[in-house]
Amino acid sequence: MAPSRLTLPPARRRDALTMALVVPLQGPAGIFGPSCESCGTLAMEETNEEGGVLGRELRLLPVDGGAAPAEVAREVAALVTAGTVEAVAGWHISAVREAVAPAIGGRVPYAYTALYEGGEHRPGVFLTGETPDLQLGPTLDWFAETVGVRRWTIVGDDYVWPRRSADAARRYLRRIDGTVCDEMYVPLGTTRFDAVVRRVERSGCEAVLMLLIGDDAVEFNKAFAAVGMDRDILRFSSLIDENVLLASGAENTRGLMTSAGYFEDLATASGLDFAAWYSRRFGPEAPVLNSLGESCYEGVRLLTALMRRAGSTDVRSMLAVSDGLSYESPRGTVELRDRHLQQRVFLAAADGLSWDVIQQL
């Protein structure tokens, strides 16, 4: 496993409650890893300032979620079996969740923090990320009603999240008389998008639904703008952050939009307090604060809140008290229903290297 790029306090004390923080440190999603680790650290420190969890100090043990899914699952399962960790949280792609969830098998609570395609109900899994009903469907409605865009081409990485999200997009588009003009998938880690861009141009679409991860999204943005397609065709991605904007370059983000439950510049009291706290803690050289990183803060805090409510780290006890759990977070007031976090989602447009939040969906 690649070493963590942030030094988290080691989980050594017997009285500590250790939680695995599974975030990508390599591969196309590795661009998100430092932000995720930093926000997880904030959640841990806040928890310990409050007295810890059930009278125990909280510690995070980083696990590289950017490795092959089976490899990540083996490492996490070994930590659980050995009793080294009593909970698992973190942002990683759905292919990793699909391997990790059955490997854990409900033995410890698992907070999956990424936005995802929906439908996860395995024992002990709690989900803090946005789902298509909150994020993708309302966004496609907005495009149709506000800018008259109904003709889409889908470009995604070839794994579970893009393909199932595309299925959801087709269902939503049928409701609004929309059309999928073309649909194509590339291997994770693709660096050349010339042929994809040419195919997008031939499709006759008005917008591209980008279901690409990290570095792949960066390369697509560069190829897309290089041929001037950003002048006429909009792009929307439900998984894109400030790291991707920075890596893409301001000249390649025109007409690019996203939606998420959290933005650093969102003018809410809780969100602004979180951003100020992050800046004080990590300073001017801090990893970018973004929705993906904040989701790791959310996952750690959610599990600690559930443990406190249940008075236990036992999965069944936590499940028994989970429905209706509500608390204030950087995303505002959130509530757990059917193990999914109910939250507001906002639409934003790229303004160079930052996001301009347009409205709540």
Side-chain angles (χ1 to χ4, degrees), residues 66 69 78 80 90 109 119-120 122 129 140 144 173 197 206 214 243 264 274 286 292 295 308:
V80 171
E120 175 62 72
R122 277 172 281 214
L140 294 175
L173 286 172
V197 167
E206 299 163 316
N243 287 299
E264 181 181 3
F274 181 71
L292 285 71
S295 79
R308 288 167 176 165

Side-chain angles (χ1 to χ4, degrees), residues 17-20 40-60 86-89 109-111 126 128 296-314 318 321 325-328 336:
L17 191 159
T18 305
M19 182 183 300
T41 298
L42 280 187
M44 178 190 68
E45 292 176 350
E46 182 179 39
T47 299
N48 289 331
E49 286 171 7
E50 297 167 350
V53 188
L54 306 178
R56 302 165 67 190
E57 182 181 18
L58 177 65
R59 294 282 179 161
L60 297 182
E86 296 178 63
V88 177
Y110 171 26
F126 300 93
T128 71
C296 289
Y297 170 90
E298 207 73 60
V300 174
R301 293 297 283 169
L302 174 65
L303 287 186
T304 57
L306 282 169
M307 289 172 184
R308 288 167 176 165
R309 195 178 199 190
S312 170
T313 61
D314 175 69
M318 292 170 65
V321 300
L325 175 70
S326 179
Y327 60 93
E328 289 299 314
L336 199 62

